[in-house]
Amino acid sequence: MFDHIADAIKAPDFVRLGPNLYVARFETMKVYSTLVAVERLLAAGVVRRGDTLLDSSSGIYAYALALACHKFDMQCHIIASKTVDKTLMVQLQLLGAIVEQVPPSATLKMDQSLRVARIGEIRAANPHVHWMQQYHDDIHYAGYEPIASEIERLLGTDGLTIVGGVGSGCSTGGLARALRCSDDAVELVGVQPFGSVTFGCAHIEDPGIIIAGIGTGIPFRNVQHALYDQIHWIGFDYGLAGAVALLRRHAIFAGLSSGCCYLAAAREAQRRPERNVLFIAPDTGHRYVDAVFAQHESALELHDLAPTHVDAHADLVLPWSVMAWNRRVATESIN
């Protein structure tokens, strides 16, 4: 029996999809990490019950922070992306959060810059508000350690590959860091949308892009580039195909980034049958019903899709590129 709904939904369900392909399917991924972060801030005396926690979000983190504030009797203030839909907005408001949504922007960079600027204004007016900094404070890594322990219990670490959207870097990075305490050979595959600056793809925009949360138009300090073995850049049409196939084949209703990760993970599992491949599905597909799942009749067949292998950023090309990253540190040119 749980005392709060956040504790009931924080952990993922693990499902086997094939001989060596698995998914960690979350209802909403960042709940576990956010609960741990807020608990640690409270224990350290950095914040107190009743304080206001502030951050920017494109969706999943906003819900996680609102739940954490609800559980710990704190105030929540969210600067929301244009990608936050009405369903989530109503939930946030009923959970007691103050939600400001920035005006629509032409690019992801402009959207994120507007949100960061608004946070600066709020902090200047009220210095007692605590900015959670999901993109920059590595306190958010800690919440993935219990999930890593469960992965190790279920699958072990020998011949293990983790696939996930990069985003803030905390979920994939947190899992890899924890799992590599047992076995440094655990591989990490990151998934990015075209147009994201994190791994040097700002020069290619995907005209259909609506993949929220796994890319960025501004640098995130929480991304530790040297944790990643391989990076996939996947466009909207291929992500749509992956999300539709995940539902058709396995009855898993997950979001667009999950479709991208399924596409990359299924390829890795087929290419390397000696390894166990686990991908992260961070949320459900409800926010993508109209833009993705209603287009299922036009979805491409997965067996027809293959990536272009590239060695340099200048060679990146839509709709799917893959590069061996080999755990190298980022240079200033891609940061």
Side-chain angles (χ1 to χ4, degrees):
M1 182 69 69
F2 298 101
D3 293 325
H4 195 276
I5 188 63
D7 295 307
I9 66 172
K10 66 182 182 182
D13 297 308
F14 293 93
V15 184
R16 185 172 191 164
L17 306 184
N20 66 324
L21 179 62
Y22 305 83
V23 60
R25 190 267 193 187
F26 290 83
E27 181 171 335
T28 182
M29 182 181 68
K30 295 185 178 181
V31 172
Y32 214 140
S33 173
T34 308
L35 289 176
V36 171
V38 175
E39 285 174 344
R40 293 194 176 191
L41 290 170
L42 285 166
V46 176
V47 298
R48 296 176 295 178
R49 290 178 184 267
D51 285 355
T52 297
L53 303 183
L54 167 71
D55 216 341
S56 163
S57 175
S58 61
I60 294 177
Y61 186 78
Y63 183 55
L65 187 59
L67 285 176
C69 288
H70 189 275
K71 176 180 177 178
F72 294 115
D73 298 321
M74 307 183 77
Q75 305 302 310
C76 180
H77 194 153
I78 297 292
I79 309 304
S81 165
K82 61 182 179 180
T83 59
V84 173
D85 60 13
K86 182 179 180 181
T87 300
L88 177 57
M89 184 71 73
V90 171
Q91 290 182 77
L92 294 174
Q93 292 167 343
L94 288 174
L95 284 169
I98 297 171
V99 186
E100 298 182 40
Q101 197 164 25
V102 298
S105 302
T107 66
L108 178 62
K109 181 176 182 178
M110 290 176 60
D111 176 78
Q112 290 173 321
S113 296
L114 284 173
R115 286 187 271 150
V116 171
R118 179 56 185 146
I119 284 175
E121 293 172 355
I122 294 168
R123 295 179 68 214
N126 186 356
H128 299 294
V129 169
H130 182 80
W131 181 22
M132 289 295 293
Q133 298 190 81
Q134 64 152 324
Y135 305 134
H136 308 304
D137 189 341
D138 66 2
I139 195 172
H140 295 90
Y141 270 65
Y144 295 99
E145 293 170 4
I147 301 169
S149 295
E150 184 65 4
I151 292 171
E152 185 170 358
R153 184 185 71 82
L154 293 171
L155 296 176
T157 56
D158 185 35
L160 177 64
T161 297
I162 302 296
V163 179
V166 177
S168 69
C170 297
S171 57
T172 48
L175 291 175
R177 284 203 318 195
L179 290 165
R180 286 175 184 166
C181 289
S182 298
D183 186 348
D184 190 59
V186 171
E187 293 186 0
L188 180 60
V189 176
V191 177
Q192 286 269 272
F194 288 89
S196 175
V197 306
T198 304
F199 282 89
C201 192
H203 61 292
I204 300 179
E205 287 288 345
D206 181 358
I209 193 65
I210 58 167
I211 308 175
I214 67 170
T216 174
I218 59 176
F220 290 166
R221 293 197 301 272
N222 266 342
V223 178
Q224 297 185 20
H225 297 76
L227 292 173
Y228 296 84
D229 296 284
Q230 190 181 104
I231 300 296
H232 289 248
W233 291 266
I234 299 176
F236 171 77
D237 290 340
Y238 278 31
L240 183 152
V244 169
L246 186 58
L247 183 55
R248 278 179 170 157
R249 294 180 181 181
H250 306 291
I252 293 177
F253 183 49
L256 188 56
S257 66
S258 301
C260 294
C261 292
Y262 174 53
L263 184 63
R267 171 189 174 273
E268 285 299 303
Q270 183 178 33
R271 189 174 69 92
R272 305 176 71 186
E274 76 281 3
R275 298 189 67 84
N276 284 325
V277 180
L278 172 75
F279 73 94
I280 300 169
D283 64 350
T284 64
H286 294 88
R287 68 194 292 192
Y288 295 110
V289 168
D290 292 330
V292 174
F293 294 100
Q295 316 303 319
H296 63 89
E297 291 183 356
S298 62
L300 301 168
E301 293 291 337
L302 252 59
H303 59 72
D304 294 331
L305 311 184
T308 299
H309 293 263
V310 301
D311 296 317
H313 290 91
D315 299 325
L316 288 169
V317 60
L318 284 160
W320 182 9
S321 292
V322 60
M323 179 188 293
W325 192 258
N326 298 324
R327 304 191 189 185
R328 66 182 186 266
V329 177
T331 62
E332 287 187 9
S333 62
I334 68 163
N335 244 339

